[in-house]
Amino acid sequence: MPVSAKEKIIVALDFPDRATAVASMKRFAGLLDRVKIGLQLFTAEGPDIVRIAHDLGFRVFLDLKFHDIPNTVRHAVASAGKLGVEMATVHALGSKEMLLAAAEEAASHGVSLLAVTLLTSMDPPQCEAVAIPLPIESQVLRLASLAAECGVPGVVASPLETASIRAALGSSLRIVTPGIRPPGSPADDQKRFLTPAQAIRAGADFLVVGRPITAAHDPLAAIAAINEELSSPEE
Ligand code: C5P
């Protein structure tokens, strides 16, 4: 702190098609450096949408959360690397062998790999239903540690878990946090969130922000407000 929205925000392009995504990217060009392309947009438009984002000057976080046998994930990471994405995700639950294969392949393609620990939509009853032991925070730390041991350079975590992951695993691990709500923004379906400044103070390197920007009445004003919050000295 202080930091800028341009260097810290990754805007989530959760859109149904290329036309809406491109219109948004054109508005954000110059104000933000990074976009996140996830399952909805990638499944609709394929790798072309990544190339378009690059052509418009953005760095791309490809958030497809790979979770499969090690050989399949290795080759999927290689394909992401050939697209030139900056960051990509795998599920830490995919096993040590899968993480090792993904980390090796990502490093050889210059992709900054991120491991998703437990989805922030998982609550204790949902974890028990799929045989994940409780408490959630211990499992998140265990999975983040496993990812780090396997050479995965970063994790995706809720901002509420960021400080404990940072304390346990040190400053070199990249932490990317969704679940960000600027002061006064609707929570939508996010249950566990912090403001941009709180998440940065907790130790996040990048903040994924979707609807507080993309669904705002004035997205550019929303970016300006986040920038103001991040660039103000700590209170
Ligand atoms: O609109 P909103 O800011 O809630 O968007 C958050 C983005 O981060 C969405 O693209 C969502 O899929 C993603 N995400 C999340 N929680 C996770 C992992 C990813 O909200 N644990």
Side-chain angles (χ1 to χ4, degrees):
M1 291 281 273
V3 293
S4 71
K6 193 170 192 293
E7 65 185 305
K8 292 294 177 187
I9 299 296
I10 304 172
V11 65
L13 298 179
D14 293 325
F15 295 121
D17 56 41
R18 169 185 317 218
T20 358
V22 168
S24 278
M25 284 192 274
K26 286 187 172 164
R27 298 184 81 180
F28 303 150
L31 298 174
L32 299 175
D33 283 341
R34 293 178 173 82
V35 294
K36 181 173 89 75
I37 294 174
L39 289 168
Q40 182 188 14
L41 185 57
F42 193 84
T43 304
E45 299 292 351
D48 270 358
I49 195 68
V50 174
R51 298 187 188 103
I52 291 168
H54 285 149
D55 289 346
L56 289 168
F58 291 97
R59 295 173 189 228
V60 173
F61 169 13
L62 187 63
D63 185 21
L64 301 181
K65 299 186 179 71
F66 299 138
H67 186 168
D68 209 315
I69 60 171
N71 183 60
T72 301
V73 170
R74 175 188 289 283
H75 292 300
V77 170
S79 296
K82 285 177 195 149
L83 281 174
V85 303
E86 182 187 31
M87 298 181 227
T89 41
V90 293
H91 271 288
L93 281 166
S95 82
K96 182 175 180 183
E97 288 67 25
M98 192 208 81
L99 291 169
L100 286 167
E104 185 180 79
E105 200 67 36
S108 78
H109 285 89
V111 176
S112 178
L113 194 68
L114 303 170
V116 176
T117 53
L118 287 183
L119 293 171
T120 47
S121 54
M122 298 283 285
D123 60 12
Q126 290 183 44
C127 286
E128 284 184 319
V130 291
I132 293 172
L134 298 173
I136 285 181
E137 185 162 347
S138 313
Q139 295 310 316
V140 166
L141 272 178
R142 179 174 166 179
L143 290 165
S145 306
L146 175 68
E149 280 163 32
C150 292
V152 178
V155 296
V156 179
S158 132
L160 297 173
E161 291 144 10
T162 297
S164 53
I165 293 174
R166 183 61 80 212
L169 297 175
S171 59
S172 60
L173 187 76
R174 175 173 282 184
I175 305 180
V176 177
T177 61
I180 301 295
R181 287 295 177 269
S185 275
D188 305 305
D189 52 353
Q190 293 287 7
K191 304 273 188 300
R192 304 172 68 234
F193 53 87
L194 291 180
T195 69
Q198 287 170 334
I200 292 288
R201 279 202 288 273
D205 295 297
F206 293 102
L207 313 178
V208 173
V209 183
R211 289 160 293 180
I213 293 175
T214 55
H217 172 66
D218 182 347
L220 301 190
I223 294 171
I226 294 173
N227 193 51
E228 177 72 24
E229 186 197 348
L230 291 178
S231 58
S232 304
E234 284 182 49
E235 63 289 348

